[in-house]
Amino acid sequence: MLLTWQMRWGHKMSWDPVYRLVKQIPRGRVLSYGALARALRLPGGARTAGRAMAATPSGKGIPWHRVVGERGKILIREPYASLQKKLLESEGIKIVESRVDLKTHLWTPLGKGPKGKKAPRAPARAVILRNSKRL
């Protein structure tokens, strides 16, 4: 089943690009909802990224637990907050007062790659909407 979000302008947006980017987050690293939204140019910003992550299908290998709040805070409610903390700690990420140390564990999808080369850019919003249908 394809998960979609009804946009204000009458387009449907697939969460698939969000999940593809989240799958790229390496073990022991995290990405914030805001950075995820900026990388994909999601309308609605971090809240839209949060909605996408809340709709993450189980059994698809999407590491939902690697997405945290802007300052590294675990934002989801119990019992999933305890599960997220446990999964992050199993990857070697230290959690202090429900926060991840972003200086140590932050992953940036648009950062520099090895040998100073630019890393490939994340897909733009136009790519997300490419297969959208008008209602």
Side-chain angles (χ1 to χ4, degrees):
M1 180 177 158
L2 181 65
L3 298 173
T4 58
W5 175 60
Q6 183 69 39
M7 288 179 44
R8 178 182 339 174
W9 302 283
H11 291 93
K12 285 188 176 181
M13 184 174 77
S14 169
W15 293 137
D16 291 343
V18 175
Y19 301 145
R20 278 194 297 272
L21 183 58
V22 170
K23 281 184 174 183
Q24 294 176 26
I25 304 170
R27 276 181 69 83
R29 298 289 182 171
V30 296
L31 184 64
S32 71
Y33 292 102
L36 177 61
R38 284 188 298 276
L40 296 174
R41 300 181 187 159
L42 295 175
R47 288 181 184 216
T48 301
R51 285 185 193 103
M53 296 313 300
T56 303
S58 59
K60 299 286 184 183
I62 300 166
W64 59 270
H65 61 283
R66 295 181 188 153
V67 183
V68 295
E70 197 66 31
R71 294 183 187 102
K73 187 155 177 71
I74 293 176
L75 297 177
I76 58 177
R77 296 176 192 243
E78 291 296 343
Y80 299 104
S82 294
L83 177 59
Q84 184 177 22
K85 181 179 176 184
K86 182 179 176 183
L87 291 169
L88 290 171
E89 288 175 336
S90 74
E91 295 182 5
I93 297 174
K94 186 176 178 186
I95 310 289
V96 177
E97 295 180 11
S98 295
R99 288 189 190 273
V100 173
D101 179 8
L102 293 182
K103 290 180 183 175
T104 307
H105 300 288
L106 183 65
W107 178 71
T108 29
L110 302 178
K112 296 266 183 186
K115 298 181 184 175
K117 295 180 181 177
K118 283 193 117 178
R121 289 188 59 91
R125 181 173 166 229
V127 174
I128 296 171
L129 298 175
R130 181 177 43 196
N131 295 326
S132 300
K133 292 181 181 178
R134 195 98 156 115
L135 292 179

